Amino acid sequence: MRVRILRTLGYKVLSDINAVSVVMPTALIGTVILTLRGRGVGKSELVRRVDWLSDRIRAKGGRVAHFAGAPTSVVVERGIEVLGPDLVGVVEGLAEETFYAVDRFQLSFYRNMTIHLFISEALVSAGMYTRVKLGGGPDHQRVTYSWLLDHVSFLSQLFRGEFIFPTVGLSVNLENTLNGLERDDVIKIRRNGVGGIDTVELSDTERACGRENYDFYCFLIWPFVEAGWLGAISLLGLTPPPGQEADVWLEVNRAQDMAQLLGKTLYHQGDLSYFEAVNKETLKNAFQRFEEEGIIVIRKSKDSKHNPPTTKIADDWKPQRDPETGKIIPKGRLWDFIETIAQSRREG
Ligand SMILES: *[C@@H]1O[C@H](CO)[C@@H](O)[C@H](O)[C@H]1NC(C)=O
């Protein structure tokens, strides 16, 4: 109850802050650069997306700094200067000035100034992505309302420590968000006889423009999906070794270090898309969520200086090993949890 009240208050305060705080060009540029599919972005495309994002922010009731009528291209140039070459690089000698992210982590700080405005759209998009990523025709990518509700509530739960969600409740917020995306012609909704939402799919316009708006929302949330997935697979490492019945208790700090090392390795081997996911803070949040979900147990002693907190995997989440090979069997609760997160991970 207390948590709920604090959260509601937090949301109220946050939306009050949003209403008065002005989104700066650096935040617009950071957000655009971190939500692009390609390696870099040409100047004209960057300007176009900054204009698009400014419109979206205004439509959400946010405010965007305007610079005495200077054209967006000038505002973008100045913003890039402010961010500096350590954050945004320029490739010289091309047909068009082309920018790229040098330090994605520092840029994420600027992206964070806009992400909360779009968190509902981002979760809906990640929920739809469970089908969209399978490809194929529109029929194949269509999701039912209940499927979407399941996935969006799963993701909201997973990220409830990271973001503050609208207080209207999950299903009302989902409907509002879907109606908004329909108005923006990003998705197409089929309704049943009494006006309830039956299915949702990408609109023809959105498909024709190469999903650029839909992808924007996905790119906002993908680093967080990646972090949740990384945290969850790192828990597999807490499975007792073959032949050992006793639980493995590991210092929480060490478990998080291991998750970070695993993340770095997967990133450099191409199995993890976002280095941002390897961030210790994000992993700490993930572990806290896992404890709240009862996936892991954390034991704290009074004297935490000499006896740092330790963790083990909860009994009913513990993966089984194949008695013959000693390998972890890809089945069970933890595995299903990992799979559900994985369904929203970025493909390729
Ligand atoms: C951005 O926001 C997320 C979600 O609230 C948070 O976990 C992350 O640490 C923030 N990143 C930076 C660089 O502040």
Side-chain angles (χ1 to χ4, degrees), residues 91-280:
V91 195
E92 309 284 357
L94 304 180
E96 187 192 15
E97 227 180 336
T98 299
F99 303 101
Y100 66 98
V102 174
D103 186 334
R104 299 186 68 92
F105 183 69
Q106 286 208 58
L107 277 174
S108 72
F109 170 77
Y110 292 89
R111 182 227 36 221
N112 270 7
M113 298 175 181
T114 61
I115 191 169
H116 52 270
L117 286 165
F118 304 110
I119 193 66
S120 301
E121 287 76 6
L123 293 188
V124 165
S125 301
M128 287 176 69
Y129 191 67
T130 56
R131 303 292 307 191
V132 169
K133 81 192 283 190
L134 302 178
D139 295 351
H140 202 233
Q141 297 184 20
R142 187 175 297 140
V143 293
T144 64
Y145 180 78
S146 63
W147 171 279
L148 199 54
L149 183 63
D150 279 353
H151 278 270
V152 171
S153 66
F154 176 84
L155 294 171
S156 311
Q157 184 80 356
L158 187 63
F159 299 135
R160 68 171 193 268
E162 301 274 3
F163 306 108
I164 292 167
F165 301 107
T167 43
V168 289
L170 188 75
S171 52
V172 174
N173 186 45
L174 177 56
E175 261 178 61
N176 291 344
T177 308
L178 289 172
N179 289 332
L181 288 169
E182 184 187 38
R183 268 196 307 278
D184 292 344
D185 203 9
V186 177
I187 61 167
K188 189 155 70 178
I189 297 179
R190 284 170 199 235
R191 295 187 169 76
N192 57 32
V194 289
I197 297 173
D198 255 352
T199 63
V200 175
E201 64 196 274
L202 291 175
S203 72
D204 299 337
T205 319
E206 191 57 26
R207 287 170 151 266
C209 73
R211 300 198 327 220
E212 64 172 9
N213 306 305
Y214 169 80
D215 278 2
F216 165 78
Y217 298 121
C218 289
F219 273 106
L220 279 179
I221 198 72
W222 272 334
F224 298 94
V225 173
E226 216 57 347
W229 178 80
L230 172 61
I233 56 162
S234 80
L235 298 183
L236 291 171
L238 296 175
T239 314
Q244 178 178 324
E245 285 299 317
D247 289 327
V248 174
W249 285 92
L250 198 65
E251 274 179 31
V252 175
N253 211 1
R254 211 167 126 51
Q256 288 165 357
D257 284 344
M258 274 170 48
Q260 203 172 16
L261 182 64
L262 173 68
K264 278 185 191 156
T265 311
L266 290 176
Y267 177 79
H268 288 292
Q269 294 179 355
D271 295 317
L272 193 80
S273 310
Y274 294 96
F275 203 68
E276 204 187 331
V278 186
N279 170 8
K280 192 82 186 272

Side-chain angles (χ1 to χ4, degrees), residues 16-28:
D16 288 352
I17 292 173
N18 285 342
V20 294
S21 72
V22 174
V23 177
M24 301 303 283
T26 45
L28 298 172

